[in-house]
């Protein structure tokens, strides 16, 4: 029986046209990071399971991970995210100049149900600052995120950066009557609010609140708050330092002017390690209903590797998720998909001039010109069709006469004009 032509479900393969789009997206992400003084790093794809079991949470590690025992009998995992590896790398550096500002675009693996914007092997752009406890660090990473959206020419009306704080929500939930032992379940229920129907969610929340209707009603009121000056919220949070921090962060955001940033107490994030401000980037239209990006402050990850207490803040952004969003709004420039793979095609008239054609190709390439040399050996007409199929604008023909005179005809396929010259003249003309 013939083997299947399909990859495993949810695994990533890219044809050149798709790859060009992905590259456009990742290069734009890198550029925005470099513009803000961030440096690139990388880490291993295979990690010890314990690294993620400590803090990433049961959903990610227990239910969505690719883990196995390697030949050395070690329990390992294909990294489902980058943040624990980053924390370890920072913890291991003795003399690191803090704060560090690093970015990376790792391939990550999660055994999720493949659906729009969610696959099992995905590129996740990460950008983090470690070693600053100031809210300026939260502000800086959100500014870079905003800069990214601007660099893709996305108007602020089509996306929303919903933000809140884990510390604030912990305090607020307790003031709503949630007992400490139910807090984790309530957080987890709140995180699932946008992933199910309102009725199903109300049931889930009620269960998480130990079936206490009064408490569940308070929690629903809390996650429905839309403004920090809401009277009910202000009364509830009277004297709370966590609330003061949230108000202060709101002032910072307003001071800079980030129209897409909206205080959203329902944003709590699914990963266990967040401790402070958290945020998520969502499409405000209906087509992409899962988060494009999520992040926040994590105080205790680096501390897992010894006694260094280094706080971090950052985000992860799904390259596929973002690409689908950009495609939804027509924000991938048409030239990216159609880009020709070469500037010039060398058509080879007969087998006896192949090495001369090779020499010409090598010369033009040495001049920085992208050259595709024919390897089909087909008739010249077919070679011209091939160049045109690739969208290559120029074809230089190499035949025995051209080789003898060292003068070549170069046809412009767009307007039909022909230029004749030596390799040097052709190079100059192409430039
Ligand atoms: P996360 O919310 O698990 O956070 O993932 C961040 C983003 O990665 C999501 O918003 C989504 O765009 C993308 N993503 C997640 N799972 C998938 C998937 N199965 N397929 C495609 N894209 C996916 C984290 O991973 C944190 N470590 C982010 C972070 C960095 N926090 C601080 N620094």
């Amino acid at each position: 029986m013939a083997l299947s032509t399909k990859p495993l479900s949810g695994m990533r393969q890219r044809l050149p046209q798709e790859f060009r789009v992905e590259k456009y997206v990742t290069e734009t992400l890198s550029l925005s990071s470099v513009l803000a003084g961030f440096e690139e790093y990388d880490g291993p794809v295979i990690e010890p399971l314990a690294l993620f079991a400590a803090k990433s949470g049961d959903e990610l590690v227990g239910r969505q991970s690719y883990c196995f025992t390697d030949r050395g009998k070690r329990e390992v995992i294909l990294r489902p995210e980058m943040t624990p590896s980053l924390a370890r790398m920072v913890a291991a550096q003795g003399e690191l100049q803090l704060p560090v500002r690093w970015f990376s675009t790792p391939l990550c693996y999660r055994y999720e149900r493949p659906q729009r914007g969610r696959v099992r092997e995905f590129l996740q752009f990460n950008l983090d600052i470690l070693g600053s406890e100031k809210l300026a660090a939260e502000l800086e990473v959100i500014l870079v995120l905003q800069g990214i959206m601007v660099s893709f020419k996305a108007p602020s009306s089509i996306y929303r950066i919903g933000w809140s704080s884990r510390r604030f929500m912990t305090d607020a939930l307790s003031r709503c009557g949630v007992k400490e032992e139910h807090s984790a379940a309530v957080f987890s229920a709140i995180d699932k609010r946008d992933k199910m129907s309102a009725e199903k969610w109300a049931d889930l929340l009620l269960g998480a609140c130990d079936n206490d209707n009064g408490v569940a009603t308070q929690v629903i009121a809390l996650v429905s708050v839309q403004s920090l000056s809401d009277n009910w919220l202000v009364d509830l949070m009277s004297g709370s330092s966590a609330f003061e921090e949230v108000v202060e962060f709101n002032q910072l955001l307003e001071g800079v002017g980030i129209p897409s940033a909206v205080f959203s107490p329902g944003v709590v994030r699914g990963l266990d390690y967040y401790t402070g401000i958290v945020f998520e980037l969502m499409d405000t239209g209906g087509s992409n209903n899962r988060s494009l990006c999520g992040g926040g402050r994590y105080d205790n990850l680096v501390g897992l590797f010894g006694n260094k207490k280094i706080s971090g803040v950052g985000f992860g952004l799904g390259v596929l998720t973002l690409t689908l969003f950009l495609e939804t709004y027509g924000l991938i420039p048409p030239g990216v998909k159609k880009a020709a793979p070469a500037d010039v095609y060398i058509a080879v008239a007969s087998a006896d001039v192949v090495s001369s054609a090779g020499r010409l190709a090598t010369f033009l390439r040495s001049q920085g010109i992208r050259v595709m040399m024919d390897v089909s050996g087909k008739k010249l007409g077919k070679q011209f069709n091939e160049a045109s199929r690739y969208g290559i604008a120029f074809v230089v023909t190499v035949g025995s006469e051209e080789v003898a005179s060292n003068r070549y005809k170069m046809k412009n396929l767009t307007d039909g004009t022909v230029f004749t010259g030596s390799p040097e003249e052709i190079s100059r003309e192409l430039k």
Side-chain angles (χ1 to χ4, degrees):
M1 201 177 69
L3 290 173
S4 168
T5 53
K6 292 199 180 110
L8 287 174
S9 173
M11 289 295 152
R12 165 182 173 276
Q13 63 179 11
R14 298 274 173 273
L15 294 171
Q17 197 186 62
E18 299 159 329
F19 197 77
R20 274 203 293 276
V21 173
E22 186 175 279
K23 222 168 161 99
Y24 162 73
V25 173
T26 52
E27 282 175 357
T28 308
L29 290 169
S30 296
L31 201 65
S32 300
S33 320
V34 169
L35 264 180
F38 284 76
E39 294 178 286
E40 193 161 11
Y41 71 99
D42 203 356
V45 175
I46 299 180
E47 286 281 23
L49 179 62
L51 179 64
F52 293 86
K55 282 274 177 199
S56 291
D58 184 50
E59 176 160 24
L60 198 62
V61 179
R63 274 173 279 153
Q64 295 183 342
S65 64
Y66 281 87
C67 24
F68 58 96
T69 309
D70 75 4
R71 289 176 195 278
K73 307 226 177 326
R74 284 172 286 258
E75 291 291 311
V76 296
I77 184 170
L78 296 187
R79 65 179 168 209
E81 54 153 339
M82 194 65 169
T83 318
S85 309
L86 168 66
R88 182 192 54 213
M89 287 165 72
V90 170
Q93 304 293 315
E95 298 299 314
L96 209 58
Q97 191 189 340
L98 295 174
V100 297
R101 306 159 67 105
W102 288 357
F103 76 97
S104 187
T105 314
L107 267 177
C108 296
Y109 297 83
R110 295 187 190 179
Y111 198 84
E112 281 196 61
R113 184 172 64 79
Q115 54 192 292
R116 184 172 166 84
R118 289 293 183 272
V119 284
R120 292 179 175 166
E121 181 183 47
F122 59 98
L123 278 177
Q124 190 198 56
F125 172 78
N126 279 254
L127 181 128
D128 292 84
I129 299 178
L130 286 104
S132 164
E133 292 180 2
K134 302 284 179 215
L135 285 175
E138 275 87 344
L139 180 69
E140 176 71 320
V141 295
I142 289 188
L143 279 175
V144 177
L145 182 57
Q146 158 92 354
I148 285 170
M149 299 312 276
V150 170
S151 67
F152 285 112
K153 304 196 169 42
S156 56
S157 57
I158 63 172
Y159 64 93
R160 181 168 55 86
I161 304 173
W163 67 273
S164 180
S165 152
R166 281 289 270 258
R167 203 159 78 83
F168 153 76
M169 281 301 280
T170 306
D171 191 357
L173 288 175
S174 136
R175 289 168 188 240
C176 286
V178 174
K179 295 201 183 96
E180 206 185 325
E181 64 265 34
H182 302 139
S183 171
V186 173
F187 266 118
S188 161
I190 295 176
D191 186 50
K192 297 194 169 69
R193 189 160 75 123
D194 294 333
K195 296 174 192 158
M196 54 182 74
S197 69
E199 299 79 55
K200 256 192 161 175
W201 183 69
D203 281 350
L204 181 75
L205 181 67
L206 187 61
C209 295
D210 202 23
N211 292 314
D212 186 326
N213 238 317
V215 173
T217 308
Q218 291 276 96
V219 175
I220 292 176
L222 175 65
V223 297
S224 310
V225 163
Q226 298 195 351
S227 157
L228 281 166
S229 39
D230 180 288
N231 288 335
W232 177 81
L233 183 70
V234 173
D235 277 355
L236 180 76
M237 301 309 293
S238 155
S240 157
S241 67
F243 185 58
E244 280 165 19
E245 185 189 61
V246 163
V247 170
E248 187 188 338
F249 188 53
N250 193 49
Q251 283 164 356
L252 283 179
L253 289 170
E254 283 182 356
V256 184
I258 303 182
S260 56
V262 184
F263 171 66
S264 317
V267 170
V268 291
R269 310 280 297 123
L271 296 161
D272 288 352
Y273 48 69
Y274 293 112
T275 47
I277 300 287
V278 285
F279 54 91
E280 270 178 11
L281 178 77
M282 302 292 294
D283 178 357
T284 50
S287 315
N288 303 287
N289 59 1
R290 301 290 301 270
S291 69
L292 277 76
C293 160
R297 163 77 64 182
Y298 45 96
D299 283 335
N300 307 321
L301 268 185
V302 178
L304 291 175
F305 305 93
N307 50 13
K308 273 190 204 163
K309 182 165 178 347
I310 300 177
S311 179
V313 58
F315 62 81
L317 186 155
V319 171
L320 170 73
T321 327
L322 174 65
T323 305
L324 290 170
F325 168 82
L326 296 172
E327 278 172 347
T328 303
Y329 291 99
L331 294 173
I332 302 283
V336 173
K337 271 191 182 158
K338 292 209 196 96
D343 306 311
V344 60
Y345 190 96
I346 293 192
V348 187
S350 53
D352 55 329
V353 291
V354 169
S355 31
S356 305
R359 274 201 301 280
L360 178 62
T362 304
F363 169 73
L364 291 174
R365 286 171 189 157
S366 76
Q367 303 300 299
I369 294 164
R370 298 178 307 147
V371 182
M372 185 186 287
M373 184 177 90
D374 180 75
V375 291
S376 71
K378 289 184 179 155
K379 296 227 164 69
L380 276 182
K382 292 228 159 103
Q383 294 186 35
F384 272 71
N385 290 344
E386 184 74 347
S388 154
R389 193 175 66 78
Y390 274 117
I392 301 173
F394 297 93
V395 180
V396 174
T397 305
V398 176
S400 42
E401 250 176 55
E402 284 84 0
V403 172
S405 64
N406 199 31
R407 291 181 69 73
Y408 300 88
K409 286 196 179 71
M410 176 169 75
K411 184 164 181 185
N412 180 336
L413 296 188
T414 318
D415 60 15
T417 54
V418 175
F419 174 87
T420 306
S422 66
E424 291 76 14
E425 285 164 341
I426 289 200
S427 154
R428 248 178 278 140
E429 178 70 9
L430 278 168
K431 282 180 184 166

